Amino acid sequence: MEILMSIIIGIIFTVSVYLFLSRSIIRVVLGTLLLSHGVHLLLITMSELQRGAPPLLNLGAESYTDPLPQALVLTAIVIAFGVTSLLLVMVYRTYKEHETDDLEELRGSADE
Amino acid sequence: MNNLIILPIIIPFIIGAVLIIFAKHHRLQRVVSGFTAVGMLILSIYLAIVVYQDGVIVLEAGNWAAPFGIVLVADMFATLMVLLTSLLSAACLFFAFKTITPKREKFFFYPFYFFLLVGVNGAFLTGDIFNLFVFFEVMLLSSYALIVNGGTKYQLRESFKYVIINVFASALFVVAVAWLYSVTGTLNMAHISERVAELEQTGVVNVIAIMFFIVFASKGALFPLYFWLPKSYFGPPAAIAALFGGLLTKVGIYAIIRVFTLIFYHEPTYTHKAVIVTIAGFTMLFGVLGAVSQFDFKRILSYHIISQVGYMVMGLGIFTPLAVAGAIYYIVHHMIVKTALFLFAGAAERVTGTTDLKKMGGLLKTHPVLSWMFFISAISLAGIPPFSGFFSKFPIILAGFQEEQYIISGVALLVGLLTLFSMMKIFSYAFWGKQKHTDEQAKLPIGKLLLPIAPLVALTIILGIAAEPIFQYSLQVAEQIMDPSIYIESVLKE
């Protein structure tokens, strides 16, 4: 199971890096979104996907899944969400001011 | 008593939150934030003295014992960094009072300023690797807001790149934490250090170490991950550029030093003496070459940040007590002098209305105090003996020769020369020569702008004259961080 997850995460990373390197500004933002998905899946995978009950004590199960990575992922999701919303607003403002979404045109002049 | 060490995090947090409510009353904001900055400075001096006398203070959040809860750890290195943070933030804040426009001020400048300090102080004081990530994000999110504050075309364009680089680096940080967690099964830094010691630095630990190095190197602007820095630090107003230039990259350097002295210290011939030293050499060289090639006041200073970050990492890479002590002394010197220089750039911009060196000239005649204070900071940066720059470079280069790392020491000496060259370029173009600004501009009173910078210039002189006691202090700090058992025992209480 971990191997399957690792391959999928690898594919997500590949796609996101490809998007990072593209010209359109919104595709770069999509790249950051995908990257954060990959990272969160990796965080869950790396703590071993052992079989067990959800970490709720009233289930009275024999074994539980590791609760720590879930808390970490929850934190990381919220942070990524905040950063993404800020980034989207910044992209919107940049588009309004510069009237382009092409990163080649957002390079700045040579004498700067 | 232990609760003392959470104060540098909680005070700016509360003040920042309160200031949101009064966002439009900028006079009230100034009064509150000014008093808070001074209070923080006094508090952090007290904290540094307490830790110096009593040893490492550990605070277990919520009374959960060490590996299970989050701990805050204040050792001498962390308190020194907190002290420097308070000092720089106070200087930049008082400079901002005089320079920042009310339009920028009303858009939550002061709340973000204090949230930035929450992140920075938290990153220095935390003892938990994921908590370090969270505090990094607190710092970075506020820095995004501050760097784009004002929303000029240039700022929007370059801030986007700054945000993207940092988002990518943060994602890699979580990857590194995930790997480290899967190898060691813990997040507490002292506990990780113990577990890694049991693993005896197998291959996977080296991979994780280099991953952490990449993450922090992109935050701390090391070669080849420094490309975002010069452009994005050019956009924001001088007070913010000075705070970022003095503070933000040094948080990355602090994290590198912490991680590579506490956790990944088992195979220094590979990680420290090969990888870090090589990267440090290239960082110094390329940073200073960038500075030499530029013709803009702020851009030269931005490239100098890069080259000087290289010295600190070189000190870590050589990895003897003398070299690490030199690196710590260098951090102290660099943070103070760099902030002062950026603030001088802001003051000169206020007078001449430009930072392009070819359009400046003759400031020496019209503003002699500014010019000579700049001159002192400039030669201090280059490392001329009576000032702090010399005494902080000397131990690093000396340790380099002692450890027979001749190439890197040679590079460090050459970089010192080129630093002097580019600082003198600023001095001769902007301050010497014919007066290029108008007489009206020449009459501008800038005495009030110089007041917040004066303590920083005084400190670089004091750090040079009182080199002996300060070097002894750095040596104690270095010995403390190079002996991880002190840290581990005070956290895990065995």
Side-chain angles (χ1 to χ4, degrees), chain B residues 34-95:
Chain B
F35 276 110
T36 314
V38 175
M40 292 265 295
L41 186 57
I42 295 166
L43 171 76
S44 54
I45 292 171
Y46 176 66
L47 188 64
I49 292 170
V50 168
V51 170
Y52 180 71
Q53 284 172 343
D54 301 351
V56 183
I57 301 180
V58 178
L59 172 65
E60 292 163 347
N63 272 339
W64 289 93
F68 305 112
I70 289 174
V71 288
L72 297 175
V73 187
D75 62 353
M76 281 165 72
F77 189 31
T79 48
L80 176 67
M81 298 302 280
V82 170
L83 172 61
L84 286 168
T85 307
S86 321
L87 181 72
L88 302 191
S89 61
C92 292
L93 190 72
F94 284 103
F95 191 83

Side-chain angles (χ1 to χ4, degrees), chain B residues 179-214:
Chain B
W179 288 350
L180 195 57
Y181 180 70
S182 82
V183 170
T184 61
T186 178
L187 292 169
N188 182 293
M189 271 152 54
H191 202 209
I192 290 173
S193 174
E194 256 189 354
R195 293 267 174 97
V196 167
E198 286 162 15
L199 287 170
E200 291 170 347
Q201 196 86 3
T202 45
V204 69
V205 176
N206 273 338
V207 172
I208 296 170
I210 297 304
M211 189 72 172
F212 271 105
F213 185 68
I214 292 170

Side-chain angles (χ1 to χ4, degrees), chain B residues 15-30 32 105-106 108 110-111:
Chain B
I15 296 293
V18 169
L19 286 179
I20 293 177
I21 305 168
F22 308 105
K24 305 295 171 192
H25 302 78
H26 69 272
R27 186 152 299 168
L28 182 66
Q29 294 233 319
R30 285 183 183 189
V32 173
E105 217 172 9
K106 279 183 185 164
F108 302 96
Y110 298 110

Side-chain angles (χ1 to χ4, degrees), chain B residues 122-417:
Chain B
F124 291 148
L125 288 173
T126 188
D128 183 285
I129 200 94
F130 194 79
N131 201 228
L132 180 69
F133 164 73
V134 174
F135 276 122
F136 258 88
E137 288 301 312
V138 172
M139 174 186 92
L140 289 171
L141 260 169
S142 344
S143 78
Y144 303 154
L146 282 177
I147 209 166
V148 82
N149 184 339
T152 62
K153 270 183 143 178
Y154 183 91
Q155 272 181 305
L156 282 168
R157 195 178 71 213
E158 297 304 332
S159 306
F160 177 73
K161 294 161 196 172
Y162 174 77
V163 177
I164 289 294
I165 291 295
N166 279 307
V167 166
F168 194 76
S170 300
L172 291 189
F173 196 166
V174 184
V175 171
V177 169
W179 288 350
L180 195 57
Y181 180 70
S182 82
V183 170
T184 61
T186 178
L187 292 169
N188 182 293
M189 271 152 54
H191 202 209
I192 290 173
S193 174
E194 256 189 354
R195 293 267 174 97
V196 167
E198 286 162 15
L199 287 170
E200 291 170 347
Q201 196 86 3
T202 45
V204 69
V205 176
N206 273 338
V207 172
I208 296 170
I210 297 304
M211 189 72 172
F212 271 105
F213 185 68
I214 292 170
V215 170
F216 296 136
S218 66
K219 314 259 182 201
L222 293 177
F223 173 86
L225 299 162
Y226 63 77
F227 48 86
W228 52 271
L229 187 138
K231 279 195 163 182
S232 52
Y233 281 16
F234 184 75
I240 296 175
L243 185 72
F244 283 21
L247 211 53
L248 289 200
T249 50
K250 261 54 73 186
V251 183
I253 300 305
Y254 170 85
I256 290 179
I257 293 179
R258 178 63 82 205
V259 164
F260 279 89
T261 54
L262 180 63
I263 301 174
F264 307 114
Y265 59 92
H266 299 283
E267 210 169 280
T269 45
Y270 173 67
T271 49
H272 293 70
K273 293 197 167 117
V275 176
I276 296 183
V277 163
T278 315
I279 295 288
F282 280 115
T283 309
M284 285 191 282
L285 201 59
F286 280 78
V288 85
L289 287 179
V292 166
S293 71
Q294 294 291 323
F295 257 100
D296 187 285
F297 205 142
K298 274 189 187 167
R299 281 179 208 279
I300 290 178
L301 294 179
S302 306
Y303 274 105
H304 272 309
I305 298 177
I306 299 163
S307 78
Q308 276 141 20
V309 156
Y311 276 102
M312 301 163 197
V313 181
M314 172 187 161
L316 172 70
I318 294 169
F319 209 55
T320 60
L322 182 65
V324 176
I328 287 158
Y329 197 159
Y330 202 91
I331 291 176
V332 177
H333 146 78
H334 167 89
M335 285 172 85
I336 290 169
V337 172
K338 191 88 244 169
T339 310
L341 283 172
F342 264 105
L343 293 178
F344 283 129
E349 191 182 7
R350 173 52 89 75
V351 175
T352 60
T354 177
T355 55
D356 189 347
L357 287 180
K358 285 175 181 163
K359 291 176 190 159
M360 299 167 90
L363 275 171
L364 191 61
K365 257 179 226 157
T366 55
H367 296 90
V369 181
L370 167 71
S371 310
W372 289 118
M373 276 163 77
F374 172 81
F375 186 72
I376 291 173
S377 313
I379 59 174
S380 173
L381 190 77
I384 304 292
F387 303 110
S388 57
F390 174 77
F391 297 103
S392 49
K393 273 180 200 168
F394 182 67
I396 301 178
I397 294 171
L398 182 68
F401 280 118
Q402 281 175 354
E403 290 292 301
E404 299 179 346
Q405 301 259 12
Y406 295 118
I407 299 173
I408 188 83
S409 310
V411 168
L413 289 170
L414 175 74
V415 168
L417 189 69

Side-chain angles (χ1 to χ4, degrees), chain A residues 69-89:
Chain A
Q70 303 190 10
L72 302 187
V73 166
L74 197 60
T75 316
I77 286 173
V78 179
I79 291 171
F81 178 70
V83 174
T84 308
S85 49
L86 179 91
L87 197 53
L88 280 169
V89 173

